[in-house]
Amino acid sequence: RNAMTASHAVMKKQIDMKDYTSSMLLGKHVKLFDACPTCNGCAGVLLSRNGTLGQDPVISGSDSRIDNIHLKSRQNLLAMEALKTSVDFALKQAQVSKNDVSIYEVHDAYSIMAALSLEVCGFVSPGEALKFAKEGKIKLDGELPVSTFGGLKARGHPVGASGMYQVVESVLQLRGLAGANQVKNVKHVLCSSFGGAATTVASNVISI
């Protein structure tokens, strides 16, 4: 839905439950619309020690972690330990609580990744992510806006640049330049970007 008003989004198509359930099966429990479109794209960020444009957003917390690349070697496939540890450390460094996060930019390469990210990071209890979304709490005017320009699933996944896209989109939100996708009163944006199945995770808190 958020991609419909994002000028740089790839997937501008409203789908309903019928579209989803009738889409191609990619795996045992994965449908076509569960997967993100891989696309071309680039993003750039100018970092400055002292700031250049007045009241610049700052990277107030940052951390990266790794997990076992062999999924069968992980104790709990749903735990995504690298994500949890990375997010917890970045928030602690930023001195920001989960309740203070204005927006969460998730790495939603697949639907399950977005749902698990909300649960693993402690924004909702285990098993409650879908209910949280159905209640509209991840919408632009919801309790915790998620992927405000459509995320990987709809904005697109330019592999290698997706994490930087999250940072750029976060800065647009923090500066009030997100247009139709603007969230009100944005103070802190949490971004998480994955390599593989959360095998490597980089998390950033961007604040103003």
Side-chain angles (χ1 to χ4, degrees):
R1 180 176 295 155
N2 294 346
M4 298 297 292
T5 49
S7 61
H8 59 290
V10 172
M11 187 74 170
K12 294 186 178 182
K13 175 184 174 65
Q14 286 277 21
I15 65 169
D16 55 24
M17 186 55 69
K18 182 180 179 181
D19 294 323
Y20 170 77
T21 55
S22 63
S23 67
M24 182 189 306
L25 192 65
L26 301 181
K28 189 174 181 180
H29 300 293
V30 180
K31 291 280 193 175
L32 177 65
F33 288 125
D34 282 313
C36 68
T38 302
C39 63
N40 294 324
C42 62
V45 172
L46 175 64
L47 295 174
S48 171
R49 185 182 299 273
N50 299 314
T52 58
L53 299 173
Q55 190 182 13
D56 291 317
V58 298
I59 300 173
S60 54
S62 184
D63 189 68
S64 61
R65 302 284 165 154
I66 60 172
D67 204 342
N68 200 314
I69 194 170
H70 300 291
L71 296 181
K72 66 180 181 179
S73 298
R74 298 184 189 181
Q75 291 186 351
N76 183 348
L77 288 177
L78 304 182
M80 293 203 293
E81 292 291 346
L83 172 63
K84 175 175 172 46
T85 307
S86 176
V87 164
D88 285 349
F89 189 93
L91 288 172
K92 182 178 179 180
Q93 187 180 58
Q95 298 183 348
V96 171
S97 73
K98 291 182 177 69
N99 291 335
D100 293 327
V101 173
S102 308
I103 293 170
Y104 183 25
E105 292 292 337
V106 302
H107 186 96
D108 56 338
Y110 294 90
S111 300
I112 185 63
M113 286 184 169
L116 286 178
S117 293
L118 288 168
E119 296 175 6
V120 167
C121 292
F123 291 112
V124 298
S125 300
E128 294 294 313
L130 296 184
K131 178 184 176 185
F132 191 74
K134 286 180 179 179
E135 292 175 348
K137 294 181 180 179
I138 64 171
K139 294 169 64 176
L140 294 176
D141 60 352
E143 181 178 319
L144 178 67
V146 169
S147 299
T148 59
F149 290 90
L152 280 66
K153 289 279 297 299
R155 176 248 289 137
H157 184 16
V159 179
S162 294
M164 196 63 73
Y165 258 74
Q166 291 179 332
V167 172
V168 171
E169 292 170 345
S170 298
V171 170
L172 290 175
Q173 288 286 359
L174 287 161
R175 285 188 174 154
L177 301 175
N181 295 65
Q182 184 65 51
V183 174
K184 294 180 180 178
N185 303 317
V186 181
K187 300 296 182 184
H188 306 283
V189 182
L190 172 64
C191 306
S192 296
S193 185
F194 299 173
T199 303
T200 59
V201 178
S203 296
N204 292 288
V205 180
I206 306 172
S207 307
I208 197 165

